[in-house]
Amino acid sequence: MSDQANSLRTPIVAVLGHVDHGKTSLLDKIRGSAVSDGEAGAITQHIGATAVPLETISEMAGSLVQPTDFDLPGLLFIDTPGHHSFSTLRARGGALADIAILVVDVNDGFQPQTEEAIDILQRTGTPFVVAANKVDTTPGWNPVEDSPIKPSYDGQSDSARSRLDENLYELIGQLSDRDFSADFYWRVQNFQNNIGVVPCSALTGEGVPDILAVLMGLSQRFMKAEMEIDVEGPGEGTVLEVKDQQGFGATLDVVVYDGIIREGDTIVVGASDEPIVTEVRALLQPRPNAEIRVEKRFERVESVGAAAGVKIAAPDLDKAIAGAPVRVVRDRSEDEVIAEVKAELAEIEVDTQEEGVVVKADTLGSLEAMANALEEAEIPILRAEVGDIAPRDVAVAGTAREVENKTILGFNVDVLPNAERELEQSDVRLFDDDVIYQLVEEYDEYVEEMKRSQQ
Ligand code: GDP
């Protein structure tokens, strides 16, 4: 391995927050304003992600970002917002995203999914910036032509505080209640220990360049060492999604966070049973200039280096699972890589008991998040698996001795048709939801109700 092959990769960014607080709009704005402000090449669409190069960020953020101060190449945004996708996206036991934006509607403050997102960010130790969104809808907002938007607040006396100021200070207070030292980003000296709050509007775009500038500064100052990779090294990535693609069968949408993947490489992929060993048949990326979100048109590429999103076509990928690791076999034996993939999957294995509920979730990350939430609520788990609810799950849940444990908790999964029949004929109860805390709450209420009726 020569030093020359070492280089700094793009930090990977995820967007989290409560539903309707503006995650999708913010991502759209970042992509949209990058496109309208810059020339061709302002952004690059990847599979599942968008790369915004440093030049584009500095064009948008003006004096906030001087390209000469940075050697990181830009930012790669994961296109699917939400903590669900965030927890799915793991890399070597940690989070795949290096850094995150927590979006909070200033009018609405902390909501259950904000709390959940913070739990996950704290657990994974992911640095983040708070986008205090929708400032345009709050009385007290003085639109300014150019960011930074700081002049709208700084120096206002307490008596002159507007509703917006109140909301923003309340938000800072809520962050303090969660043991974060938080402040407006222009007052934060050390972003490693303090959370910067950026008032913004995903609708008008105000504050958006400031968010990019803060993210860029944060990564440059505190993450550079982690961004150093061997560009010729064996590629490592995480499966975002397993998708059927016409002409290719099951394919993997993958974010590559280390090394390089080439056509023809042997790869090991985490699966629902034994890891899959297969050979890369094709690497696909969206055609340049293909419109965002329009049915993707692909072109083949010979290789992809980190950090990037790519679609991998290869034989035998049916049993691959979202959230699972993908590793290229190069420089090491196949067995060694298989052992590593297994070890990574085993980290997520859930502590199961002899008596408890059955848990099904759509990805490894969400299964882990479910298991954590249940453990906190002191709900024992009999079995936990990734996948839709199958007849076997109903049978397993039916073996629980306690009535309250004859239960399946399904997170973001479907019930297979024959399992539906089994459920109807059994005394097993199903709770399904796509919000973890609601699922736990529903189950708790059910148990309470049952205890009351037995008294
Ligand atoms: P998500 O569920 O967090 O992804 O939220 P969306 O991005 O879908 O936004 C929810 C709603 O809020 C949509 O109707 C958006 O148009 C609106 N919205 C998002 N950001 C802003 C903003 O900054 N200002 C205003 N006025 N509306 C916004």
Side-chain angles (χ1 to χ4, degrees):
M1 192 166 73
S2 77
D3 275 350
Q4 276 177 330
N6 280 359
S7 138
L8 294 170
R9 74 158 167 83
T10 313
I12 301 168
V13 189
V15 180
L16 289 80
H18 193 70
V19 62
D20 280 345
H21 279 197
K23 300 179 292 294
T24 313
S25 309
L26 184 63
L27 271 166
D28 282 349
K29 197 71 199 175
I30 289 169
R31 291 186 288 225
S33 42
V35 171
S36 59
D37 283 10
E39 299 299 314
I43 62 162
T44 313
Q45 271 307 121
H46 292 232
I47 297 289
T50 305
V52 186
L54 177 61
E55 292 70 38
T56 305
I57 294 173
S58 73
E59 233 166 85
M60 290 168 71
S63 61
L64 288 172
V65 171
Q66 296 294 337
T68 45
D69 297 340
F70 293 87
D71 27 30
L72 290 174
L75 297 166
L76 183 78
F77 290 86
I78 304 281
D79 283 343
T80 321
H83 57 269
H84 172 51
S85 75
F86 179 85
S87 51
T88 298
L89 304 178
R90 305 165 50 96
R92 286 199 213 95
L96 173 66
D98 303 297
I99 187 166
I101 306 175
L102 178 66
V103 180
V104 185
D105 179 338
V106 274
N107 308 301
D108 216 12
F110 268 38
Q111 292 300 324
Q113 286 169 297
T114 319
E115 300 277 3
E116 261 184 35
I118 286 184
D119 285 343
I120 296 169
L121 291 171
Q122 267 180 327
R123 201 166 54 237
T124 53
T126 309
F128 63 97
V129 57
V130 172
N133 193 34
K134 305 201 189 184
V135 291
D136 60 293
T137 61
T138 321
W141 176 239
N142 309 309
V144 284
E145 282 298 308
D146 294 310
S147 291
I149 53 175
K150 143 186 173 182
S152 300
Y153 313 100
D154 214 17
Q156 285 207 43
S157 69
D158 280 4
S159 59
R161 267 193 200 170
S162 65
R163 184 60 190 290
L164 177 59
D165 290 311
E166 274 169 25
N167 289 355
L168 285 166
Y169 279 104
E170 195 179 325
L171 180 57
I172 288 171
Q174 284 173 319
L175 285 158
S176 308
D177 293 344
R178 295 291 312 247
D179 297 329
F180 289 110
S181 145
D183 207 340
F184 293 109
Y185 73 100
W186 56 84
R187 290 193 198 147
V188 174
Q189 304 287 337
N190 179 348
F191 280 98
Q192 195 164 31
N193 301 320
N194 297 280
I195 305 291
V197 175
V198 185
C200 68
S201 165
L203 195 73
T204 67
E206 287 159 288
V208 173
D210 308 59
I211 294 172
L212 298 181
V214 173
L215 289 174
M216 208 59 223
L218 198 54
S219 337
Q220 174 78 10
R221 286 176 67 184
F222 304 111
M223 269 179 245
K224 235 166 89 177
E226 292 154 48
M227 296 303 112
E228 191 156 307
I229 58 162
D230 171 12
V231 288
E232 299 288 323
E236 298 187 10
T238 301
V239 178
L240 293 182
E241 258 186 276
V242 186
K243 271 188 195 160
D244 273 323
Q245 191 70 40
Q246 219 181 356
F248 291 102
T251 62
L252 306 179
D253 287 2
V254 169
V255 168
V256 182
Y257 60 81
D258 204 352
I260 186 166
I261 300 189
R262 301 191 181 100
E263 233 178 71
D265 273 344
T266 300
I267 51 169
V268 179
V269 184
S272 47
D273 37 37
E274 285 296 295
I276 300 162
V277 181
T278 184
E279 197 169 288
V280 176
R281 183 137 58 100
L283 295 167
L284 305 169
Q285 285 196 321
R287 273 184 203 289
N289 304 326
E291 261 188 71
I292 292 165
R293 286 179 203 222
V294 172
E295 180 71 14
K296 294 253 167 37
R297 298 204 293 154
F298 301 111
E299 64 179 13
R300 280 175 84 145
V301 291
E302 276 174 18
S303 65
V304 273
V310 68
K311 184 181 278 295
I312 298 180
D316 307 323
L317 292 174
D318 301 283
K319 287 190 172 163
I321 43 182
V326 179
R327 298 271 165 100
V328 168
V329 180
R330 197 186 303 143
D331 311 336
R332 287 181 308 163
S333 76
E334 200 172 287
D335 286 345
E336 217 173 307
V337 179
I338 292 174
E340 219 173 73
V341 166
K342 276 191 179 165
E344 206 173 308
L345 290 174
E347 271 175 31
I348 306 167
E349 254 164 36
V350 175
D351 202 11
T352 53
Q353 319 284 325
E354 291 203 348
E355 174 71 15
V357 298
V358 170
V359 182
K360 300 287 295 213
D362 60 340
T363 71
L364 286 173
S366 56
L367 191 68
E368 187 180 38
M370 273 290 294
N372 283 327
L374 291 172
E375 195 182 331
E376 241 164 65
E378 293 178 5
I379 300 169
I381 301 169
L382 173 65
R383 183 193 292 265
E385 272 176 359
V386 171
D388 287 333
I389 296 161
R392 193 174 71 113
D393 300 316
V394 183
V396 171
T399 64
R401 285 188 300 275
E402 307 288 336
V403 185
E404 69 201 50
N405 289 338
K406 290 180 186 294
T407 301
I408 302 173
L409 301 180
F411 178 75
N412 245 356
V413 290
D414 291 328
V415 182
L416 296 173
N418 33 5
E420 198 108 50
R421 267 197 306 278
E422 298 273 329
L423 269 171
E424 277 163 21
Q425 289 162 10
S426 74
D427 53 357
V428 172
R429 269 190 86 110
L430 167 69
F431 294 88
D432 56 353
D433 209 302
D434 52 10
V435 180
I436 291 180
Y437 79 91
Q438 275 172 9
L439 198 51
V440 175
E441 231 170 62
E442 277 169 47
Y443 177 68
D444 269 342
E445 273 165 23
Y446 159 71
V447 174
E448 288 288 306
E449 184 65 30
M450 205 161 55
K451 284 191 178 142
R452 264 200 302 274
S453 67
Q454 279 166 359
Q455 275 165 7

